Amino acid sequence: VITLSFAVPSVGTTYDMEFVPAEESPAAVIADISDLQAQGKKVVLSIGGANASVHLNSDAERDQFVTSMMALIVTYGFDGIDIDLEGTSVSISGGSIQAPTDLPMQRMIQAIGMIMDLYRAQFGTKLFLTMAPETAYVQGGQSAWGGIWGAYLPLIHALRDSIDILQVQLYNSGSMYGVDGGIYTQGTADFIVSQTEAVIQGFNTGGGFFMGLDPEQVAVALPACASAAGGGFTDSLTVRMAVEYLLGQGPQPGSYQLQQAGGYPTLRGMMTWSVNWDAAAACDGAWSFADVYERVFDPLATAIALREKQTLSVFPNPASDRVFIAVDGSSGPLDIRWTDAMGRIVRSEGHQGEGVVELSVRDLSTGTYVIELAAVDGAIRRAVVVVE
């Protein structure tokens, strides 16, 4: 799914939407969209963003919002829309998740429904619908109810049967509650796991209980680079471990334990802001986010090679002084990384990858760690090590 950003209100309005490509002509973008769709991809238009204020303050504004969005969808041939309303675009003053009292929220719910009806009538198929809210507007409803806190929940609830992907931005966020009552900080494996499970399991708010979505409606949304967001960038290893745990394919990477044993094998995928940032070599390596996605979800989809993952044999374990690891089938140097229970890299070192690798643990605090060895042949081996 490729999302183009952003459709924004024309100058002097908060409802008359326009989309002006920044780097190419409209005709070139239309041709690009057609080419992508021929490859089986969905292309959607995102509404809003951090710098746009979208408000529907009357029924007439609602109707013009619908008309202008349909014109953009038809002109460019988009498969759907992404709702990325931020800042003052969404707020609540009362009511409940099931029965919001704020008229702009009621009109936005009506408007999206109208767009979906018009799209189906014209094209004979469902409009592809995604949402990319910030955490305060969703999981933040556990902390407070009002203003931006929980403000997206009525919109998500009303359109839950139509949402294809909910991809809450797990960045530009303060700490958030998990459904276990713990508080988790962005940029960690625990944050990724706890906040993703929250929108699947559901949670209590001052506006009532938010019923979670199906796992196949949920994607993990993260920045591809530290420069892409004000906070919340997470290194590739931590991202992979967190998502594999969510899928039920890997060990628990931090202190947060999934409420559902076995995880969520049908989790929809991953989203990043943005493909442009992911291309930058300075951002944890060029295409590092795409690389993680391919390894976790679909290793055969592109030319990115799948690195073999094997379990290491570590002795003694638990350990208090040093550990010995047998490295079979690899030669040449190894890159070795240690990650703590919070998903943080605490040590990186190199070692000649032959025979038995001896590693000291005397400088590590008591706790559980994941050790990962990456060889020059692309093989990756991993083990959980307990330090006493």
Side-chain angles (χ1 to χ4, degrees), residues 183-200:
I183 298 175
Y184 300 98
T185 304
Q186 65 179 356
T188 65
D190 278 338
F191 193 78
I192 295 171
V193 176
S194 66
Q195 300 309 296
T196 302
E197 186 172 52
V199 295
I200 298 172

Side-chain angles (χ1 to χ4, degrees), residues 32-386:
D32 289 342
I33 291 171
S34 180
D35 288 343
L36 289 166
Q37 290 167 333
Q39 300 172 38
K41 304 180 188 299
K42 298 286 187 183
V43 184
V44 303
L45 178 61
S46 188
I47 299 170
N51 299 321
S53 180
V54 181
H55 286 283
L56 307 182
N57 294 315
S58 69
D59 289 353
E61 292 184 3
R62 176 202 62 198
D63 294 346
Q64 182 55 31
F65 174 84
V66 172
T67 298
S68 58
M69 282 302 304
M70 279 303 300
L72 294 174
I73 291 169
V74 172
T75 298
Y76 284 88
F78 288 111
D79 295 293
I81 57 175
D82 171 69
I83 306 173
D84 183 7
L85 302 178
E86 303 180 25
T88 60
S89 292
V90 183
S91 65
I92 52 174
S93 60
S96 66
I97 293 172
Q98 290 77 20
T101 57
D102 296 274
L103 293 177
M105 172 58 69
Q106 293 179 12
R107 294 190 187 99
M108 182 58 68
I109 292 169
Q110 294 165 4
I112 303 304
M114 292 164 70
I115 292 171
M116 297 193 72
D117 288 344
L118 289 169
Y119 186 89
R120 182 176 291 278
Q122 184 157 351
F123 298 102
T125 189
K126 178 188 174 300
L127 181 87
F128 199 84
L129 179 64
T130 69
M131 296 186 185
E134 295 177 292
T135 53
Y137 297 82
V138 184
Q139 295 93 332
Q142 298 174 93
S143 303
W145 177 254
I148 65 171
W149 299 97
Y152 243 81
L153 296 176
L155 186 65
I156 296 170
H157 176 75
L159 297 168
R160 64 173 51 250
D161 292 336
S162 300
I163 296 173
D164 290 284
I165 308 175
L166 174 67
Q167 41 208 14
V168 179
Q169 300 175 30
L170 303 183
Y171 48 97
N172 295 337
S173 169
S175 298
M176 290 285 159
Y177 281 105
V179 294
D180 64 345
I183 298 175
Y184 300 98
T185 304
Q186 65 179 356
T188 65
D190 278 338
F191 193 78
I192 295 171
V193 176
S194 66
Q195 300 309 296
T196 302
E197 186 172 52
V199 295
I200 298 172
Q201 287 288 323
F203 47 83
N204 287 308
T205 79
F209 185 77
F210 169 68
M211 296 183 293
L213 299 180
D214 293 333
E216 52 266 34
Q217 293 177 286
V218 177
V220 175
L222 295 164
C225 180
S227 302
F233 172 73
T234 313
D235 69 273
S236 297
L237 174 60
T238 301
V239 172
R240 191 169 86 240
M241 290 175 61
V243 177
E244 286 176 345
Y245 180 52
L246 280 164
L247 289 166
Q249 297 176 359
Q252 181 178 333
S255 62
Y256 182 88
Q257 183 174 0
L258 285 172
Q259 306 297 298
Q260 177 166 303
Y264 304 95
T266 60
L267 190 71
R268 187 60 179 265
M270 296 162 61
M271 179 275 274
T272 191
W273 177 268
S274 65
V275 65
N276 301 330
W277 280 114
D278 199 29
C283 297
D284 203 22
W287 305 116
S288 58
F289 193 93
D291 184 60
V292 171
Y293 174 83
E294 296 297 340
R295 296 177 198 283
V296 174
F297 282 95
D298 194 357
L300 303 179
T302 74
I304 297 176
L306 175 66
R307 295 178 186 170
E308 184 182 6
K309 292 186 288 185
Q310 298 178 2
T311 301
L312 290 167
S313 177
V314 179
F315 178 84
N317 192 8
S320 57
D321 181 63
R322 63 189 65 243
V323 295
F324 298 89
I325 303 171
V327 180
D328 299 322
S330 292
S331 61
L334 294 171
D335 290 325
I336 304 173
R337 296 211 293 186
W338 293 74
T339 306
D340 67 11
M342 295 298 292
R344 298 169 297 199
I345 296 175
V346 297
R347 185 202 290 174
S348 296
E349 55 193 299
H351 203 284
Q352 187 64 28
E354 296 178 353
V356 176
V357 174
E358 179 182 344
L359 300 174
S360 172
V361 298
R362 284 174 289 183
D363 61 327
L364 298 175
S365 302
T366 300
T368 302
Y369 298 83
V370 173
I371 182 173
E372 182 173 273
L373 279 66
V376 292
D377 62 2
I380 293 176
R381 296 167 173 82
R382 187 171 61 190
V384 176
V385 179
V386 177

